Amino acid sequence: MQKYDVAIIGGGASGLACAVGIKERDKNLSVVILEKGERAGRKIAASGNGQGNVSNVDLSASHYHGSGAFLAEKLCCSGLYNPLELFDFLFINDKLGRIYPAGKQGSALSDCLLKKVKEAGVDLVLSTSVESVERGYKLSLSDGNTILADRLVMSAGGAAQKQFGTDGSAYNLVKSLGHTVTPVSPSLVQLRCDTRHIKTLKGIRAECKVTAYGADGKILGVAEGDVIFTDYGVSGNAVFYVSAYCSGEENVTLSLEFLPEISVGQIENDVRNKIEKGYPQSELLCGTLHNQLGRAIMRRCGGCDPRTVAQTVKNFTLKAEGSLGFDYAQVTRGGVPACEVDENLQSRLAPNLYFAGEILDVDGDCGGYNLTWAFCSGMHAAKSIVNSFDTDD
Ligand SMILES: Cc1cc2nc3c(=O)[nH]c(=O)nc-3n(C[C@H](O)[C@H](O)[C@H](O)COP(=O)(O)OP(=O)(O)OC[C@H]3O[C@@H](n4cnc5c(N)ncnc54)[C@H](O)[C@@H]3O)c2cc1C
């Protein structure tokens, strides 16, 4: 039975950052990462469509949600930790403020962390799931082995995309240690919609402003960017962004505003001009929007009143009918409530237990916020753990 100073459950962004942080502060502490997948850091490599969207230039607090949003504000938004310092890279950002390694290769980020983990002498145990945990801490592994540890870090992620090893089963481990888990829902995910008005648009991408309205008509979220029409509803980065605000909500309506930089009056004049020139009704938005999109809008208007057409271009509504669910979501909304951890990310319920990353009830907007949280919370848990050993001495 092997014994470690620190055992980390989950070799994702937060677990790797935590291991590196512990070893940078005290190289003598023995650390093991237990990872059920064949590789560690897989979501880091997949982030930003494989380009590695690690953070964002705008780290304002409003980009974080959940009972632990204040923790993200303290650890990420205040600049207390800088996730970019974990990597020996040059970084660049795009016009939406999303930060990537200059080489735009997500796997370079995970490779860099794995190199640091290896060089620091952390034991990384792959293809091994932690099946149960007893206080103390005694971990029973899927290969039949048992590991003992003085400090335990729960960085096993949430329930989003089980192909990355995160199927929500880690919530049972934290519950067995006395913790609770808030209701969880998928976030940063494609949205299902009533597709009656978009049946002919499958595969078409449009730049627009998306506003999500709740059942009471209140604005839930707004985003500008790509919308991609699909057979189930809508995808694209603007949809991902607003999905964070629709997560867990019922009766959501999406309003798509095409041509956000052109006024209703300008569109109205354009339509009137085309009517005067004898364009058929179905072609009145020809050249103004993608032809198929223009025709879909004209069908929906049911006539060619220029004002109505222009208003429909500016407010093309779709009734949202949920999302594609956890299998497609980038992040989980909900998790271990913030009231169950202290400012050191240490459990208030089980001594020497620490939390980091998505397993906590913190989720961020689309654009690098979730990796930032995972890295900063991992680094903070590392600092707290090393301090706790110093206090023991
Ligand atoms: C496809 C995709 C793209 C994304 N793109 C971005 C992006 O561009 N920018 C951004 O900021 N965020 C992005 N995210 C979200 C971000 O990657 C996650 O929020 C972040 O990686 C969470 O880190 P974590 O360490 O908390 O958990 P994870 O990275 O999910 O790691 C948890 C690990 O724990 C392991 N594990 C679980 N249970 C056990 C167990 N019992 N025993 C052993 N191991 C266990 C899992 O196998 C997993 O490897 C993306 C997510 C996905 C899925």
Side-chain angles (χ1 to χ4, degrees):
M1 207 181 290
Q2 235 175 322
K3 181 163 189 312
Y4 289 88
D5 294 316
V6 187
I8 298 174
I9 305 182
S14 59
L16 293 172
C18 184
V20 170
I22 291 171
K23 287 298 216 176
E24 276 175 357
R25 287 169 192 274
D26 186 343
K27 63 179 177 352
N28 295 319
L29 290 175
S30 58
V31 180
V32 62
I33 300 175
L34 299 148
E35 168 53 51
K36 75 156 96 149
E38 287 173 9
R39 282 180 295 128
R42 286 174 295 169
K43 286 188 190 172
I44 307 173
S47 69
N49 283 328
Q51 298 188 330
N53 172 211
V54 75
S55 192
N56 199 292
V57 291
D58 169 19
L59 281 180
S60 43
S62 60
H63 292 292
Y64 285 100
H65 317 282
S67 61
F70 74 95
L71 292 168
E73 181 174 3
K74 184 178 153 202
L75 305 183
C76 312
C77 310
S78 70
L80 190 58
Y81 295 95
N82 178 358
L84 306 187
E85 284 174 3
L86 280 167
F87 307 96
D88 313 315
F89 295 157
L90 288 176
F91 286 92
I92 52 169
N93 63 270
D94 66 9
K95 66 176 179 1
L96 295 176
R98 296 177 294 196
I99 299 177
Y100 301 86
K104 288 226 169 167
Q105 197 173 6
S107 58
L109 295 167
S110 47
D111 288 348
C112 177
L113 281 185
L114 290 170
K115 181 169 170 280
K116 289 192 174 188
V117 160
K118 192 173 170 201
E119 284 171 359
V122 173
D123 281 351
L124 176 58
V125 182
L126 297 172
S127 304
T128 306
S129 166
V130 177
E131 303 285 289
S132 64
V133 186
E134 286 172 38
R135 283 196 190 201
Y137 282 91
K138 187 174 169 191
L139 281 60
S140 302
L141 310 184
S142 53
D143 61 7
N145 286 325
T146 302
I147 277 182
L148 299 178
D150 284 329
R151 308 284 191 276
L152 179 64
V153 182
M154 285 299 310
S155 55
Q161 301 214 8
K162 57 178 177 291
Q163 71 268 30
F164 290 97
T166 38
D167 57 4
S169 58
Y171 294 137
N172 295 330
L173 295 179
V174 299
K175 285 180 186 168
S176 74
L177 294 170
H179 280 274
T180 63
V181 176
T182 68
V184 292
S185 54
S187 185
L188 308 191
V189 61
Q190 300 88 339
L191 296 176
R192 290 187 189 281
C193 297
D194 173 358
T195 55
R196 260 176 311 162
H197 303 294
I198 57 172
K199 273 196 181 350
T200 54
L201 300 180
K202 191 177 159 193
I204 289 174
R205 179 190 293 264
E207 280 268 314
C208 58
K209 180 171 166 186
V210 183
T211 307
Y213 293 93
D216 54 2
K218 212 173 101 192
I219 292 179
L220 300 173
V222 183
E224 281 197 49
D226 279 346
V227 169
I228 303 165
F229 296 95
T230 68
D231 49 3
Y232 57 78
V234 282
S235 177
N237 63 29
V239 172
F240 266 54
Y241 194 95
V242 294
S243 75
Y245 297 83
C246 305
S247 182
E249 297 280 339
E250 306 259 327
N251 296 319
V252 172
T253 301
L254 301 177
S255 162
L256 310 189
E257 179 184 350
F258 301 107
L259 307 173
E261 66 289 356
I262 297 179
S263 69
V264 174
Q266 284 172 293
I267 300 167
E268 201 179 331
N269 287 339
D270 177 56
V271 173
R272 193 165 284 121
N273 183 34
K274 289 199 178 99
I275 293 172
E276 281 165 14
K277 292 198 168 135
Y279 276 65
Q281 182 176 323
S282 63
E283 304 305 303
L284 289 176
L285 289 168
C286 168
T288 302
L289 289 169
H290 185 291
N291 280 349
Q292 269 158 278
L293 181 56
R295 286 175 199 137
I297 290 176
M298 291 310 304
R299 270 196 300 276
R300 192 162 183 188
C301 289
C304 51
D305 170 50
R307 186 83 190 163
T308 308
V309 174
Q311 280 166 344
T312 310
V313 170
K314 290 290 182 182
N315 181 24
F316 189 83
T317 55
L318 294 171
K319 197 171 160 337
E321 295 173 341
S323 75
L324 286 200
F326 279 118
D327 283 354
Y328 295 86
Q330 286 192 355
V331 74
T332 310
R333 170 153 296 183
V336 174
C339 60
E340 295 183 4
V341 297
D342 66 15
E343 69 279 9
N344 299 318
L345 299 183
Q346 184 175 192
S347 166
R348 292 186 192 277
L349 307 174
N352 299 327
L353 171 64
Y354 294 79
F355 290 89
E358 202 176 309
I359 196 159
L360 282 164
D361 177 21
V362 181
D363 63 287
D365 284 343
C366 184
Y369 297 98
N370 289 296
L371 278 176
T372 297
W373 161 248
F375 289 133
C376 294
S377 57
M379 291 191 269
H380 190 59
K383 181 179 176 192
S384 309
I385 289 167
V386 174
N387 286 347
S388 75
F389 280 107
D390 292 345
T391 321
D392 280 357
D393 291 342

